[in-house]
Amino acid sequence: MNVIISNKKTQMLENLNIEIIKEMTGEFDVEEIINNFKNFFFQRMILDITALKNYTDIMTIQKLSLALDMNKVILVLDEESETVSPEFMSKLISIGIYNFTTNLEGIMYLYNSPNSYRDVAHLHVIEQPIINQTNDSQSNTVYVDRYIESDDCKVIGFKNITKQAGSTTLIYMLKKQLEKYYKVAAIEVEKSDFRFLDDRSLISATNSNIGNVINKNKTNNIILLDINNSENAIGLCNDVIYLIEPSIIKLNRLMVINPRLLTSIQGKKVVLNQSLLNNKDISDFEYETKVKIFYNIGPLNDRANNYPELVEFLHKLGFMKVN
């Protein structure tokens, strides 16, 4: 169930001892790769970076990262190019790509044990900003739109798909992690669950006044919004995270109550929360449901004051100040 896309590394990749469902050889536009695989199920993609036209431009890799789940992609870098430079690898990490290597041993290691941010953090040069592309002759930095950090307020909504998937507690923990670096507000709609948490800054709103409440809090950098059943709230978000607790009983209950709900969130940011699934379990889940998983969050201690497990997730959402 694996894909190999190769060019310069074709001969080396022929020695990989893995099952292959599809193989491509040559140079391809990034759009061609995306069109071929955005709706194609695979366990891992081994991608020879030289198979991408204009592969030394980080914008090319960023386009790929926005369309495919890069947690499943192992990027084989070209030792004869700048892709093995510390600057280029740091840019890969900044756009959420952690699995890259140059040899067969590295490929097989990452195949069995994919990297997290923690594994590559020592390669990440945070001081190098990543903002919008420019032709400024005084700067050689490559800039990427995805991680612009401006003064504009970002409204990030969270909606439970399975019953009690943990949106309220997750928002509470994300707020604690984010407010060390940003001004953050947390709002819930049509419920009063926040009153059970020891934080008087948490805000409750009704479906009818949620727009006004958000506007009053736009002096913050980030608003975390517990959507619950509010359709009004979804339209006010810059981004929406759909939460699934992937236990058998929760998923079976969902399929009995609303079997079409999973179909409605295909192509959206779906996060497994309070999850004990491993990489193989997630691949099986994606294959069975046709839903791509944006991120997998395990059980967390909500009594803690620091959540390093959430840092990689926040980076993937674009909040790069968090460390």
Side-chain angles (χ1 to χ4, degrees):
M1 303 296 287
N2 301 291
V3 171
I4 292 181
I5 304 173
S6 63
N7 187 30
K8 285 185 181 180
K9 301 282 187 178
T10 300
Q11 188 172 357
M12 182 186 81
L13 296 180
E14 286 175 351
N15 296 313
L16 275 176
N17 186 24
I18 59 175
E19 294 183 7
I20 300 170
I21 191 172
K22 188 167 182 177
E23 192 167 2
M24 295 172 62
T25 304
E27 284 188 271
F28 307 94
D29 291 322
V30 66
E31 291 81 8
E32 187 175 355
I33 300 294
I34 291 169
N35 290 336
N36 269 283
F37 295 102
K38 63 181 178 181
N39 295 315
F40 187 91
F41 174 79
F42 56 86
Q43 183 177 353
R44 293 282 188 276
M45 174 186 288
I46 317 300
L47 175 58
D48 174 1
I49 198 169
T50 66
L52 290 172
K53 293 179 180 177
N54 201 23
Y55 64 88
T56 58
D57 184 350
I58 198 66
M59 296 292 286
T60 300
I61 313 301
Q62 191 218 12
K63 286 181 184 178
L64 193 72
S65 74
L66 292 173
L68 301 182
D69 181 358
M70 297 307 287
N71 290 321
K72 293 183 176 183
V73 177
I74 299 173
L75 203 57
V76 185
L77 304 180
D78 178 21
E79 304 98 318
E80 299 177 359
S81 73
E82 65 188 68
T83 62
V84 293
S85 69
E87 293 81 6
F88 192 88
M89 288 189 285
S90 182
K91 291 167 188 171
L92 289 177
I93 295 166
S94 289
I95 57 175
I97 297 174
Y98 311 138
N99 295 299
F100 46 84
T101 184
T102 59
N103 54 54
L104 278 179
E105 292 77 10
I107 293 171
M108 290 311 302
Y109 177 83
L110 294 172
Y111 183 88
N112 294 303
S113 305
N115 281 337
S116 67
Y117 177 75
R118 188 175 300 176
D119 298 309
V120 294
H122 63 287
L123 299 172
H124 193 195
V125 185
I126 297 175
E127 289 78 14
Q128 294 180 340
I130 300 188
I131 50 178
N132 191 30
Q133 190 171 14
T134 177
N135 293 322
D136 185 354
S137 59
Q138 296 180 351
S139 173
N140 293 322
T141 308
V142 176
Y143 298 110
V144 180
D145 283 335
R146 185 181 178 189
Y147 291 113
I148 292 175
E149 300 236 36
S150 68
D151 293 330
D152 294 336
C153 180
K154 309 287 191 306
V155 182
I156 311 295
F158 294 79
K159 183 172 177 60
N160 289 336
I161 296 302
T162 53
K163 187 175 177 61
Q164 296 176 332
S167 62
T168 303
T169 305
L170 179 60
I171 285 172
Y172 173 64
M173 293 187 289
L174 288 170
K175 178 178 180 290
K176 287 202 288 185
Q177 194 70 21
L178 281 164
E179 62 191 2
K180 300 168 187 175
Y181 310 93
Y182 301 89
K183 290 176 63 181
V184 187
I187 304 170
E188 64 177 352
V189 190
E190 290 295 325
K191 282 199 175 182
S192 55
D193 292 338
F194 278 171
R195 65 194 169 103
F196 300 115
L197 298 168
D198 187 21
D199 188 339
R200 293 187 178 181
S201 68
L202 300 172
I203 302 165
S204 297
T206 64
N207 192 49
S208 59
N209 75 352
I210 182 58
N212 290 332
V213 174
I214 286 177
N215 285 333
K216 287 179 182 178
N217 284 276
K218 283 207 166 180
T219 54
N220 293 281
N221 304 119
I222 305 165
I223 294 175
L224 303 174
L225 186 62
D226 194 352
I227 292 170
N228 292 308
N229 295 317
S230 172
E231 292 300 322
N232 289 346
I234 291 179
L236 298 171
C237 297
N238 299 107
D239 213 347
V240 178
I241 307 299
Y242 295 86
L243 296 177
I244 292 177
E245 182 188 329
S247 64
I248 292 174
I249 191 167
K250 292 289 182 70
L251 289 171
N252 286 347
R253 187 178 187 277
L254 174 66
M255 297 311 293
V256 170
I257 295 173
N258 190 346
R260 296 184 179 180
L261 189 54
L262 289 178
T263 303
S264 70
I265 59 172
Q266 289 175 359
K268 298 181 179 179
K269 281 192 173 78
V270 179
V271 170
L272 301 182
N273 193 34
Q274 306 172 116
S275 166
L276 294 171
L277 270 59
N278 59 31
N279 288 326
K280 184 181 183 304
D281 295 332
I282 293 170
S283 294
D284 292 342
F285 179 88
E286 290 180 324
Y287 179 72
E288 291 165 4
T289 62
K290 303 297 186 292
V291 173
K292 280 191 175 182
I293 301 305
F294 180 75
Y295 202 78
N296 183 43
I297 300 174
L300 299 175
N301 176 15
D302 59 6
R303 295 174 181 267
N305 291 315
N306 188 46
Y307 303 97
E309 303 91 342
L310 294 175
V311 171
E312 185 181 340
F313 174 55
L314 290 169
H315 285 179
K316 201 164 182 181
L317 288 177
F319 302 117
M320 303 304 294
K321 291 181 184 177
V322 180
N323 58 52

